[in-house]
Amino acid sequence: MPRIETRIVTHALPPIDERGTCGMEGAEIIFHGRVRNTEAGRTIVGLEYEHYEEMAESALSEVAHEAGGRYEIDELVCIHRVGMVPAGAASLRVQICSPHRRAALDAMDWFISEIKARVPIWKWGVLDDGSRFPAEGGRLPLEPPAPSPDR
């Protein structure tokens, strides 16, 4: 069974330990998802990530464990940042260790696609005046219905 670690943080991602944790595996892949300075054709100062805390942590762990069962990997570590993330900063780090590069690459591709589809984290593009808009590909949180006028 692979070692799985998932975390959602509200601060900058910690530095990578250059010694690594993969040991003698053949492949170690590290992915950093960085915030671009444009979103949907607009210049932004960053992305604001919102999440449903309990559900997001559980879903992220579930997807990571599924990856561990689907692919021949020895380790998967994922740290996802929420809150305001400035352009140029990393909002996601995924590290996968495997005896074989193809398994690690396939696991990485699958894992990132699944967290985007299944983990309740929503992103908003933030403009320099502080206004925000739904980021491309981002899902919007469910909004409560508006109160009826007779209440």
Side-chain angles (χ1 to χ4, degrees):
M1 193 64 166
R3 182 178 92 78
I4 304 291
E5 178 185 342
T6 59
R7 288 184 282 157
I8 295 176
V9 299
T10 57
H11 51 76
L13 302 182
I16 296 174
D17 181 350
E18 290 298 322
R19 295 169 296 172
T21 60
C22 286
M24 303 302 286
E25 285 79 6
E28 175 183 22
I29 297 175
I30 299 171
F31 172 83
H32 279 121
R34 293 195 179 273
V35 174
R36 295 179 293 274
N37 66 350
T38 60
E39 184 68 33
R42 300 166 84 177
T43 300
I44 61 169
V45 297
L47 289 175
E48 187 171 354
Y49 291 85
E50 294 179 348
H51 71 304
Y52 178 8
E53 189 172 348
E54 296 81 13
M55 187 180 260
E57 290 173 356
S58 174
L60 186 60
S61 177
E62 180 180 302
V63 173
H65 281 88
E66 278 185 45
R70 286 176 170 262
Y71 298 95
E72 185 183 354
I73 61 174
D74 294 328
E75 179 175 285
L76 187 155
V77 177
C78 175
I79 306 170
H80 200 306
R81 185 174 174 184
V82 295
M84 179 60 185
V85 182
S91 60
L92 176 68
R93 176 184 304 145
V94 182
Q95 176 180 356
I96 295 178
C97 302
S98 172
H100 307 287
R101 110 185 111 73
R102 177 51 46 207
L105 290 166
D106 290 347
M108 183 70 76
D109 184 53
W110 182 88
F111 179 71
I112 292 171
S113 294
E114 290 297 306
I115 63 174
K116 285 179 168 271
R118 296 170 44 189
V119 178
I121 296 176
W122 305 281
K123 61 183 183 176
W124 301 84
V126 179
L127 302 171
D128 61 0
D129 67 359
S131 63
R132 61 186 209 160
F133 61 93
E136 193 171 344
R139 299 169 305 168
L140 296 178
L142 297 176
E143 295 185 21
S148 64
D150 58 324
R151 287 191 190 177

